[in-house]
Amino acid sequence: MKILYFTATGNSLHIAKELGGELLSIPQLIRNGKYQIEDEEIGIVFPTHNGDLPEIVEEYLSIVDLKCDYLFAIATYGNTPSNVLNRICKLLITREIQVNYTNGIRMVNNHVRFFDMKYSRKSINSDEFNISLNIIKEDIANHKDNRYTTTNTGYESLKRYKRKLLIDNESCNQCTICTLVCPSLNIYIDTDYDEVKFFDECTTCFACLHACPQNSIFIPDQQSETHYINPNIKLGEIIRSNRQL
């Protein structure tokens, strides 16, 4: 089994590791130009971004050639998976790729624009999480078929959340962690001005914001000063998953 995944704060990587098999980071697949994936079972694990697919996941799935007997998609979400599972089915069926099984699993909501991480952590019941995860594992092991309707439901993607990230270069110590966790190579150190700066390729995944040890990266209207990395995942694992340098 091969599992394609994208992670910003470790939630989706945690699920991918729990499911087992060979883990393939979507940012690294893009970096290495690998657009043909074949196995008996293939899974796609990804976070829900404002009710939609992360841009990097959508872009990769619009190109990749998937060949397998059983294809499943698992979305991690903090509040609601919205129609993201329908979206991934519709996206792939237009490329004549049929998804056999979809499901979602609720985890800590790490969208700092809308949620405070201190309270988001408390909202997750570990027993309920484990029950949901075990159901997904069993379903996949049994090749359960519960494919979502792939015909036109009238649903259109929510407007992608786009908010320019800012950095306080006074508190930043240029540790370069933000440049390493960014999956779109959007962050760089301007040596002429001795400052960390952003290009215009941000996917608003907040990986850099949550990983910043100095709390130097932020958005103007964020609700939380507390950052979040999945406690089962090490920062180095996120760096290895997303690093584009």
Side-chain angles (χ1 to χ4, degrees):
M1 178 169 66
K2 290 184 173 68
I3 296 184
L4 285 56
Y5 74 93
F6 170 62
T7 195
T9 62
N11 281 346
S12 294
L13 177 53
H14 179 206
I15 299 303
K17 290 176 71 173
E18 285 288 330
L19 296 179
E22 181 183 359
L23 305 189
L24 302 173
S25 160
I26 289 177
Q28 293 303 328
L29 290 171
I30 293 173
R31 179 186 183 187
N32 296 317
K34 294 185 178 180
Y35 291 94
Q36 290 186 329
I37 310 295
E38 185 173 356
D39 206 326
E40 292 182 2
E41 302 168 316
I42 294 178
I44 307 166
V45 182
F46 59 94
T48 302
H49 281 184
N50 203 39
D52 206 348
L53 287 167
E55 283 184 285
I56 195 168
V57 174
E58 182 170 5
E59 290 170 2
Y60 185 73
L61 295 181
S62 298
I63 302 173
V64 67
D65 181 18
L66 300 176
K67 293 183 179 179
C68 62
D69 297 325
Y70 185 74
L71 177 63
F72 61 91
I74 307 298
T76 61
Y77 64 91
N79 188 28
T80 170
S82 186
N83 286 316
V84 70
L85 295 169
N86 244 351
R87 284 268 292 132
I88 196 169
C89 288
K90 290 173 66 177
L91 169 64
L92 290 172
I93 200 65
T94 61
R95 306 191 57 241
E96 299 184 351
I97 299 173
Q98 177 69 63
V99 179
N100 301 101
Y101 175 82
T102 61
N103 211 331
I105 187 163
R106 187 166 178 261
M107 303 184 77
V108 172
N109 195 320
N110 50 45
H111 198 310
V112 294
R113 168 62 182 85
F114 302 110
F115 297 92
D116 188 319
M117 299 305 100
K118 290 184 294 185
Y119 300 106
S120 290
R121 288 192 181 98
K122 296 177 182 178
S123 68
I124 300 301
N125 182 293
S126 59
D127 290 336
E128 292 178 359
F129 171 81
N130 289 329
I131 290 171
S132 298
L133 179 59
N134 287 333
I135 288 173
I136 290 172
K137 287 180 177 180
E138 185 175 349
D139 287 347
I140 293 172
N142 293 327
H143 281 199
K144 182 176 180 178
D145 193 318
N146 76 336
R147 66 194 69 182
Y148 274 47
T149 303
T150 55
T151 55
N152 189 346
T153 62
Y155 169 75
E156 295 295 334
S157 168
L158 295 175
K159 183 177 181 181
R160 293 193 186 277
Y161 179 85
K162 287 291 187 182
R163 186 60 55 92
K164 187 177 180 62
L165 290 169
L166 303 174
I167 185 161
D168 176 9
N169 274 293
E170 292 296 321
S171 61
C172 173
N173 63 1
Q174 296 187 9
C175 67
T176 73
I177 288 175
C178 59
T179 67
L180 301 178
V181 298
C182 178
S184 56
L185 203 61
N186 188 59
I187 308 172
Y188 68 103
I189 297 177
D190 187 331
T191 55
D192 291 335
Y193 294 91
D194 196 31
E195 292 181 345
V196 173
K197 293 185 177 180
F198 300 95
F199 292 113
D200 294 318
E201 304 298 325
C202 180
T203 62
T204 324
C205 70
F206 296 134
C208 62
L209 185 153
H210 285 291
C212 178
Q214 302 298 117
N215 283 11
S216 298
I217 299 175
F218 63 98
I219 55 175
D221 50 0
Q222 71 186 50
Q223 300 297 311
S224 177
E225 294 183 359
T226 304
H227 292 179
Y228 173 79
I229 297 291
N230 186 290
N232 300 286
I233 299 299
K234 296 178 181 179
L235 178 59
E237 293 179 276
I238 299 175
I239 290 174
R240 286 192 292 273
S241 296
N242 292 346
R243 184 174 183 172
Q244 296 295 302
L245 294 173

